[in-house]
Amino acid sequence: MPNLERYEPDFQRECIYVNKVYNECAVIDCPTYRIPIPPTYPLAVNIVDCTITDITAEGVVVANGEVDITVTFVLNVEYDGNGMSQFIQQTAQFRRRGIQLEGAVPGMTVVILPLLRCLNCRAVEGGTVIECDVGVYLVVKAIALVQLEVLGRFCPEPPECEQVSPLGCPEWFELAESGAFWPPFPPQPPLNNNL
């Protein structure tokens, strides 16, 4: 009977041409956005629902080790206007200038993986304005196209770009610090080693 031991070839050098992450960090924040109710709309009594759509993120290395980012999104709010459902949208931006990212140099590409959630909305100023707290979790990466020899697995969660003293939304900061948003990729299925 022949020996049926599993054959596994030795590792061989494999070079690939790929975007390499030179450094990364996470931006965590919880800003409040104001949505004025137009005069032709009924005043807001209470908020029914809030979602975020149409997220676009841009970043640029402005100097050695320094990155600027802008994330644009649409806040979609459903509110009760004295018994009538009303819908209102507003485009909003989250900007951060001068993020310190060691190893980033002008000419590198900045990739941003955004996670934004509408956490809480409320009617203020007699129902003429809606305020919404938005949970922001962004992974900011400085990358460049290089030739590499690689072995791979998911990378650890990056450190925060800068420490923010939470003024509101403590649950959002606790989730971010617990690693609940990491990895920001779908899990990879196991390889079928029986082939």
Side-chain angles (χ1 to χ4, degrees):
M1 183 170 236
N3 183 354
L4 297 177
E5 287 183 31
R6 182 180 206 97
Y7 170 73
E8 293 191 20
D10 294 332
F11 285 106
Q12 296 181 26
R13 178 181 172 165
E14 296 290 341
C15 292
I16 61 172
Y17 198 47
V18 65
N19 280 320
K20 177 190 182 315
V21 176
Y22 277 82
N23 204 350
E24 62 183 358
C25 62
V27 174
I28 304 166
D29 206 342
C30 186
T32 300
Y33 293 89
R34 293 172 53 88
I35 305 170
I37 304 294
T40 57
Y41 281 51
L43 299 178
V45 176
N46 59 25
I47 309 308
V48 176
D49 192 23
C50 176
T51 59
I52 293 177
T53 58
D54 304 323
I55 301 169
T56 59
E58 298 176 351
V60 64
V61 179
V62 294
N64 287 343
E66 191 173 322
V67 175
D68 289 353
I69 62 169
T70 302
V71 179
T72 304
F73 56 95
V74 175
L75 276 164
N76 305 279
V77 178
E78 178 184 359
Y79 71 92
D80 175 13
N82 281 328
M84 297 172 44
S85 278
Q86 300 293 322
F87 297 90
I88 192 165
Q89 289 184 323
Q90 180 166 306
T91 300
Q93 281 192 335
F94 176 84
R95 289 183 174 184
R96 188 63 59 89
R97 302 288 181 237
I99 295 172
Q100 299 302 302
L101 195 57
E102 187 178 339
V105 296
M108 283 185 173
T109 301
V110 176
V111 172
I112 302 168
L113 305 174
L115 173 63
L116 284 81
R117 296 257 168 85
C118 190
L119 301 176
N120 182 32
C121 292
R122 62 209 154 269
V124 297
E125 298 179 21
T128 61
V129 174
I130 296 173
E131 286 186 345
C132 293
D133 300 324
V134 174
V136 175
Y137 182 85
L138 309 172
V139 177
V140 181
K141 299 172 179 280
I143 64 172
L145 195 58
V146 297
Q147 183 171 319
L148 291 179
E149 181 178 23
V150 297
L151 294 173
R153 66 178 184 194
F154 282 124
C155 297
E157 184 174 7
E160 288 186 44
C161 295
E162 56 193 51
Q163 190 65 33
V164 177
S165 299
L167 298 176
C169 311
E171 300 85 10
W172 182 258
F173 285 93
E174 288 171 19
L175 278 172
E177 290 171 359
S178 74
F181 305 137
W182 194 260
F185 320 106
Q188 181 175 340
L191 296 175
N192 186 349
N193 292 325
N194 296 328
L195 298 178

